[in-house]
Amino acid sequence: MPTRNTSPAVRPGHLGRTVEGGKKERARHGAARRRGRSERLAPYVLIAPAVLIIVALRLYPLALGVNFSFTGDGEANGTAVGFANYLELLDDPLFQTALANVGLLVLLLPVAVAIPGLLATFIYLKVPGHRFFRSVYFFPAVLSPVIVGAIFNLMLAFDGPLNELLGTIGLGPVDWLGDPGVAKFAVVGVQIWATFGMALVVFLAGFATLDASLLDAARVDGASLRQSIWHVIIPSLSQTIQFVFVTTMIGMLTSMFGLLYVMTSGGPEGSTYLPEYYIWIQQGQMNRPALASAASTVLFLIMLVVGLLQISVLRRAGRED
Amino acid sequence: MRRLGKWVVAVPMAILALATIYPLIFTANVAMKTRREYVLDRFSLTESLHWENIATAWNSVGMARYFANSLFVVAASVFLLLWLGSMAGFALSRLPFRGSKALFIGCLAALFIPFQVIMVPLSRVMADTGLIDTYPGLILAYVAQFLPFTVFLMTSYYRSVPKEIVDAARIDGNTVYGVYRRIMVPIGRPALLSVGILDALFCWNDVLIALLMMPSADHRTLMVGVTSLRGQYTDNIPTFASGVLIAAVPVLLVYLFLQRQIADGVTAGSTKG
């Protein structure tokens, strides 16, 4: 066997040395038997760095966090306090608001899925300009929530362009980000604006697997667009729809921090809190890591429940058809 | 759909397209105005391009520094992600070994742990190891965050590579490492490109991890820098808009040229999952 194969195998040499150095040594001293062993170990060597990082910085912290959530903060640091943190959470009006807002997000979820679904249907049916629409709609999805939030800070300011526009048709002004009853809808609206393109692209990938002859057959039988969507498109795309439901919900629960941080800082009057923002405040501002860990655990459970619930509901709906 | 129906639908879709793109055009326009122009009429097209707003944001606000920080952190993170992710993906897809299936499932499970759930203990682990507020710490946090996704997509991609290619390369006398370097890396280029762009976008756009891992001011990434603009420039909207524009332009360029690859990466999970 050519020995040059045992020189550092990974092109970016300076970082490759730690992994490949040991192998080089081994091969130099080794006989054929040794070589066989190194080959057998190769899969483990290749996967070890990834596994180490995932275990040390994702799985271990998850366990550590659950453990934290049953200990105290401040003077009680490290001592077991049972469910005290969880009870405190349930008593905290800010956390209650955060949970209520999660409920609101769940209620708005069908809208956030239906909009891109409908738009994808039209694009699939080749509405004039469908290529252009596709690239324009997808584009906000690549922007950071921070950029989106900053842009909408300008657009939604009390003396900003949206109110000026409404003023010309005799409406408003609305205090988009300053009115507790309005701000949460404004933020969710911006979140949907920023992410519907992502779901749209996923839907279009689903459409690519759709059997076009089914739609043709429906049309020949005189089905209206609504009937085609209901009886052909939705059942055929149930996998994709499930995926979009789950990913949109996960997105709403875990990727709105940037928007909240830039647009409202949880205000006005704490009305735009979400669990992730609550965790950030308790950890970073209030120095209550154990309480924050309890909130993290609750968030994790919510995500688990929502994910499983949605999958089972959609499965049942799919079966009835 | 009938011909007329298509046009009826196209009109609201065009309005929506305008609503999608207008906020950015508005911001770019404001960035080029003087303060006076903005206060007098925020909608009018700027009379001349006031690039000095960009210069102010770039120099005196420190966007240049933040930009360089972001560039470095993103480049290092993406490099590590692709390297470790492709090695693991190769092993999981094309090398039979004990525990392979369990490791793949573990990796999938890690994909569903959001950062918010582990951020408190992770910041403590980083503090205990002295990695907090250091570049390696932030890079490691990004690698840990996006590695499960990278491994998952690389594994799926490598599963589509015919086994015969790997076998033939082995018969030709390549070691496993040789196969990785000479076959899997070049053959994986399309997937590496599309996963790499997505990883780069994720890291570039992140604010929560950077806020948590990099508390000191001159370690700020660009997105954290943009959040600090808001407090400093409430009365100088054109400079604020310029800062936002600086942070958005790299992403816009990537989008214009690599839209297809981004879409491929986003949808890969949906069709294979």
Side-chain angles (χ1 to χ4, degrees), chain A residues 193-211:
Chain A
W193 178 87
T195 56
F196 81 94
M198 200 65 105
L200 180 94
V201 168
V202 174
F203 271 122
L204 285 173
F207 272 116
T209 65
L210 183 73
D211 185 357

Side-chain angles (χ1 to χ4, degrees), chain A residues 133-148:
Chain A
F133 289 143
R134 181 194 157 119
S135 16
V136 171
Y137 292 159
F138 183 44
F139 135 80
V142 301
L143 288 179
S144 168
V146 168
I147 308 261
V148 172

Side-chain angles (χ1 to χ4, degrees), chain A residues 1-2 4-12 15-16 19-20 23 35 38-39 41-47 49-51 53-54 57-62 64-65 68 77 119 122-123 125-128 132-140 142-147 150-155 159-161 164-165 193 196 198 201-202 205 219 225 239 243 250 253-255 257-258 261-263 265 276 279-280 283 289 292-293 296 299-300 303, chain B residues 1 6-7 9-10 12-14 16-17 19-24 26-27 30 38 41-43 79-80 83-84 87-88 90-92 95-98 103 106-107 110-126 140-141 143-145 147-148 151 170 173-178 180-182 185 189 201 205-208 211-212 223 226-227 230 237 240-241 244 247-248 251-252 255 259 262-263 266-267 269-271 273:
Chain A
M1 271 184 214
R4 66 190 163 84
N5 287 342
T6 59
S7 65
V10 180
R11 218 179 301 154
L15 282 158
V19 177
E20 297 303 322
K23 190 186 140 281
R35 173 59 173 275
S38 127
E39 286 286 277
L41 285 175
Y44 299 100
V45 173
L46 287 171
I47 204 169
V51 169
I53 289 179
I54 290 175
L57 299 178
R58 285 183 78 76
L59 300 178
Y60 168 67
L62 182 67
L64 198 63
F68 271 169
N77 185 16
L119 291 171
F122 293 141
I123 289 175
L125 293 173
K126 297 206 165 49
V127 161
F132 171 75
F133 289 143
R134 181 194 157 119
S135 16
V136 171
Y137 292 159
F138 183 44
F139 135 80
V142 301
L143 288 179
S144 168
V146 168
I147 308 261
I151 290 175
F152 276 90
N153 266 345
L154 289 182
M155 304 295 293
D159 57 354
E164 209 163 298
L165 198 71
W193 178 87
F196 81 94
M198 200 65 105
V201 168
V202 174
R219 198 184 305 152
L225 177 65
Q239 281 268 320
F243 183 82
I250 292 175
L253 287 175
T254 62
S255 66
F257 175 83
Y261 188 73
V262 174
M263 289 177 72
S265 307
E276 55 172 329
I279 297 167
W280 158 257
Q283 148 84 3
S293 293
S296 292
L299 176 63
F300 191 51
M303 297 194 46
Chain B
M1 251 199 294
K6 283 189 181 178
W7 282 102
V9 173
M13 284 181 81
L16 185 66
T20 308
I21 207 97
Y22 181 72
L24 202 85
F26 178 84
T27 308
V30 168
Y38 178 77
D41 184 354
R42 42 208 64 185
F43 293 102
F79 170 74
L80 282 171
W83 179 34
L84 303 184
M87 285 201 306
F90 169 42
L92 287 171
L95 300 174
F97 65 98
R98 274 181 64 176
L103 284 178
C107 179
L111 191 61
F112 289 101
I113 304 172
F115 183 75
Q116 286 81 352
V117 169
I118 57 167
M119 69 187 225
V120 178
L122 185 66
S123 67
R124 184 164 302 184
V125 169
M126 289 292 188
L140 213 54
V143 170
Q145 180 65 21
L147 196 53
V151 171
R170 300 278 282 143
N174 283 289
T175 62
V176 172
Y177 305 104
Y180 169 72
R181 184 175 49 142
R182 293 201 194 87
V185 170
R189 225 172 261 155
L201 279 177
N205 287 342
D206 162 76
V207 65
L208 179 57
L211 268 176
L212 202 70
M223 294 308 138
V226 171
T227 66
R230 179 180 160 238
I237 299 296
F240 174 76
V244 173
V251 175
L252 284 177
Y255 183 73
Q259 191 187 337
I262 298 172
V266 169
T267 53
S270 70
T271 46

Side-chain angles (χ1 to χ4, degrees), chain A:
Chain A
M1 271 184 214
T3 46
R4 66 190 163 84
N5 287 342
T6 59
S7 65
V10 180
R11 218 179 301 154
H14 63 294
L15 282 158
R17 234 165 255 160
T18 45
V19 177
E20 297 303 322
K23 190 186 140 281
K24 194 174 180 180
E25 287 290 293
R26 226 178 291 138
R28 197 177 294 144
H29 299 296
R33 189 177 51 84
R34 276 274 188 101
R35 173 59 173 275
R37 200 170 124 213
S38 127
E39 286 286 277
R40 245 178 301 124
L41 285 175
Y44 299 100
V45 173
L46 287 171
I47 204 169
V51 169
L52 272 179
I53 289 179
I54 290 175
V55 169
L57 299 178
R58 285 183 78 76
L59 300 178
Y60 168 67
L62 182 67
L64 198 63
V66 174
N67 197 31
F68 271 169
S69 73
F70 294 104
T71 65
D73 276 316
E75 300 210 333
N77 185 16
T79 57
V81 296
F83 282 90
N85 289 319
Y86 291 90
L87 294 174
E88 189 181 342
L89 273 186
L90 292 179
D91 264 343
D92 186 342
L94 277 179
F95 195 69
Q96 290 166 1
T97 314
L99 287 184
N101 284 340
V102 168
L104 180 74
L105 291 178
V106 174
L107 289 179
L108 288 173
L109 190 58
V111 181
V113 175
I115 293 173
L118 205 60
L119 291 171
T121 309
F122 293 141
I123 289 175
Y124 173 74
L125 293 173
K126 297 206 165 49
V127 161
H130 60 277
R131 264 171 233 275
F132 171 75
F133 289 143
R134 181 194 157 119
S135 16
V136 171
Y137 292 159
F138 183 44
F139 135 80
V142 301
L143 288 179
S144 168
V146 168
I147 308 261
V148 172
I151 290 175
F152 276 90
N153 266 345
L154 289 182
M155 304 295 293
L156 300 178
F158 191 70
D159 57 354
L162 185 60
N163 275 339
E164 209 163 298
L165 198 71
L166 287 177
T168 58
I169 55 170
L171 292 174
V174 179
D175 197 357
W176 296 104
L177 300 176
D179 182 334
V182 176
K184 53 187 164 199
F185 292 100
V187 176
V188 178
V190 172
Q191 165 76 5
I192 293 177
W193 178 87
T195 56
F196 81 94
M198 200 65 105
L200 180 94
V201 168
V202 174
F203 271 122
L204 285 173
F207 272 116
T209 65
L210 183 73
D211 185 357
S213 63
L214 282 176
L215 269 182
D216 289 338
R219 198 184 305 152
V220 169
D221 289 347
S224 69
L225 177 65
R226 189 186 304 173
Q227 287 169 324
S228 298
I229 291 177
W230 203 246
H231 295 292
V232 180
I233 294 178
I234 291 182
S236 316
L237 292 188
S238 64
Q239 281 268 320
T240 309
I241 296 173
Q242 261 179 43
F243 183 82
V244 173
F245 256 97
V246 172
T247 49
T248 308
M249 191 70 224
I250 292 175
M252 281 177 156
L253 287 175
T254 62
S255 66
M256 285 182 67
F257 175 83
L259 284 185
L260 296 176
Y261 188 73
V262 174
M263 289 177 72
T264 64
S265 307
E269 296 165 33
S271 62
T272 55
Y273 262 71
L274 279 175
E276 55 172 329
Y277 196 76
Y278 184 89
I279 297 167
W280 158 257
I281 290 290
Q282 293 302 338
Q283 148 84 3
Q285 276 16 70
M286 304 298 180
N287 203 16
R288 296 288 312 272
L291 186 65
S293 293
S296 292
T297 310
V298 172
L299 176 63
F300 191 51
L301 291 177
I302 292 174
M303 297 194 46
L304 221 57
V305 169
V306 167
L308 294 175
L309 211 70
Q310 274 168 359
I311 288 172
S312 74
V313 166
L314 285 162
R315 282 250 169 83
R316 208 171 308 137
R319 233 174 274 139
E320 272 164 18
D321 252 310

Side-chain angles (χ1 to χ4, degrees), chain B residues 19-67:
Chain B
T20 308
I21 207 97
Y22 181 72
L24 202 85
I25 295 174
F26 178 84
T27 308
N29 188 36
V30 168
M32 292 294 143
K33 285 185 169 189
T34 61
R35 279 165 81 172
R36 200 181 131 75
E37 263 183 282
Y38 178 77
V39 173
L40 287 178
D41 184 354
R42 42 208 64 185
F43 293 102
S44 68
L45 259 181
T46 178
E47 282 155 25
S48 54
L49 301 176
H50 291 276
W51 292 100
E52 64 267 23
N53 293 332
I54 300 275
T56 310
W58 183 255
N59 295 320
S60 52
V61 187
M63 294 296 271
R65 173 72 201 250
Y66 306 152
F67 197 97

